[in-house]
Amino acid sequence: MVSENKQSSFAIWISLISNIILTTVKLAVGLIFQSPVLIADGVHNAGDVVATGAALSSMRVSKLPPDEDHPYGHGKAEVIGAGIVAIILGMAAIYMGYHSVMVLFEPPHKATVIAFVAALFSFILKQILYVYTMAIGKKLNSNGLIATAYDHLADVYASIAAVIGIGLGMIGDHYQIALLSYGDPIAGIIVAYFVLRLAIHMGKSSVGVLMEKSVDSEKIKALINIVNHVSGVKRIDRIRGRDHGHYIIVDVRVSVPAELSVQEGHDISRDIKQSIMDQHPDVEEVLIHINPWYEEN
């Protein structure tokens, strides 16, 4: 657990530091050379700094052990953090889109090589961060890290659009093609669309977990298969699973022979819980209810 905490903390701190650096670089270059897409992307990265801070705080809270007020743990803190990231991404997308549309009604700004290099650097760095953070997030089943990875992916989209937009603007400036000179703000509009889509997807996922949405059907089928192979189980009356952040809670109702003793029923419950948790490390708790089963059933 210590190693996992170190991995998640390292990934989130790298993301935070990278976002601070990119925010500074993009806003400085964008303002100096009047690049609309870089300014919009820099504001987006400023939002990323807040979002990453929220993810870091929520991940720390989610690792706290259960207490009297939170007997099932604090896992959903990560989901709340992911929801905050989604809201910030949505606001950034709306700002980027609005800013880019307004620029279309102004004389085209001259695209520069420095702005192009800044966008290219952002693309390369964010692609590396996305792949790394997503791999760690999936490995640790961390909603906070996965949300941060999607945040990096939104930046990848933004940086690609910036590279293409600024590149087209440079071509337009060189060959006096007026339409290409607006490549920068047009790219900003396109990236705003993709970032908004990503924000909606993340928001839906967070709301689903907070509303106790069931785990996917394949997971339920796997759990049913495990319980059916436990000796003494005659019937599964109900089985449910819900995501609780970086872990899952499973509820099971099974019928066992009515003539068994309390101790024997307890042993079956223990075997069910142990079998599920051994085969599914992401399951943190298994709640089991025993019903009597009669031969005539």
Side-chain angles (χ1 to χ4, degrees):
M1 181 61 71
V2 174
S3 177
E4 290 183 356
N5 286 339
K6 283 184 177 180
Q7 288 183 63
S8 60
S9 295
F10 180 76
I12 205 75
W13 274 109
I14 286 292
S15 298
L16 181 60
I17 293 169
S18 300
N19 282 329
I20 292 173
I21 293 172
L22 286 175
T23 298
T24 305
V25 171
K26 288 179 183 178
L27 286 178
V29 175
L31 289 170
I32 292 171
F33 296 96
Q34 289 298 296
S35 170
V37 73
L38 270 186
I39 293 172
D41 202 13
V43 173
H44 175 201
N45 273 127
D48 291 342
V49 173
V50 179
T52 308
L56 178 61
S57 300
S58 65
M59 285 172 59
R60 286 185 171 180
V61 173
S62 73
K63 303 300 181 186
L64 295 174
D67 55 35
E68 187 175 342
D69 293 327
H70 307 89
Y72 297 104
H74 300 76
K76 285 188 178 179
E78 278 199 32
V79 184
I80 295 172
I84 293 172
V85 173
I87 292 171
I88 292 173
L89 275 180
M91 293 171 63
I94 293 170
Y95 170 81
M96 290 167 66
Y98 173 78
H99 182 78
S100 298
V101 169
M102 290 299 101
V103 172
L104 289 175
F105 297 97
E106 301 174 2
H109 298 285
K110 184 177 178 62
T112 65
V113 175
I114 294 178
F116 181 83
V117 171
L120 185 62
F121 170 73
S122 173
F123 164 68
I124 294 172
L125 178 59
K126 280 295 184 174
Q127 181 63 32
I128 293 171
L129 286 171
Y130 165 68
V131 173
Y132 171 71
T133 309
M134 181 60 78
I136 299 296
K138 287 185 174 180
K139 177 184 175 183
L140 303 181
N141 194 31
S142 168
N143 282 282
L145 279 179
I146 291 174
T148 302
Y150 278 129
D151 193 17
H152 291 320
L153 181 60
D155 290 332
V156 171
Y157 293 155
S159 298
I160 290 175
V163 169
I164 295 173
I166 296 171
L168 290 175
M170 291 171 64
I171 295 172
D173 291 341
H174 183 76
Y175 292 102
Q176 301 299 309
I177 304 174
L179 181 61
L180 291 185
S181 297
Y182 283 99
D184 194 325
I186 291 172
I189 294 171
I190 294 171
V191 73
Y193 166 73
F194 283 109
V195 172
L196 185 60
R197 274 186 53 180
L198 191 58
I200 292 171
H201 170 73
M202 290 173 59
K204 282 183 176 180
S205 298
S206 297
V207 170
V209 175
L210 292 173
M211 294 296 290
E212 303 285 347
K213 181 182 178 181
S214 175
V215 297
D216 63 81
S217 57
E218 292 301 314
K219 187 79 166 182
I220 294 295
K221 288 178 183 178
L223 295 173
I224 289 173
N225 185 57
I226 292 171
V227 177
N228 276 330
H229 281 81
V230 174
S231 178
V233 173
K234 292 295 186 180
R235 183 180 65 222
I236 297 177
D237 298 316
R238 186 171 68 183
I239 184 167
R240 299 180 297 183
R242 50 199 166 101
D243 196 331
H244 211 267
H246 58 278
Y247 55 85
I248 292 172
I249 296 176
V250 177
D251 301 302
V252 184
R253 287 190 180 185
V254 296
S255 290
V256 302
E259 64 272 13
L260 295 182
S261 67
V262 173
Q263 180 62 54
E264 289 170 323
H266 168 77
D267 292 342
I268 293 174
S269 295
R270 180 196 59 207
D271 292 343
I272 292 172
K273 180 175 183 177
Q274 198 63 50
S275 297
I276 289 175
M277 296 183 72
D278 285 347
Q279 297 183 50
H280 293 270
D282 55 342
V283 175
E284 183 79 12
E285 182 64 82
V286 182
L287 308 173
I288 303 168
H289 178 82
I290 299 292
N291 291 323
W293 183 88
Y294 299 93
E295 192 65 39
E296 56 268 25
N297 288 348

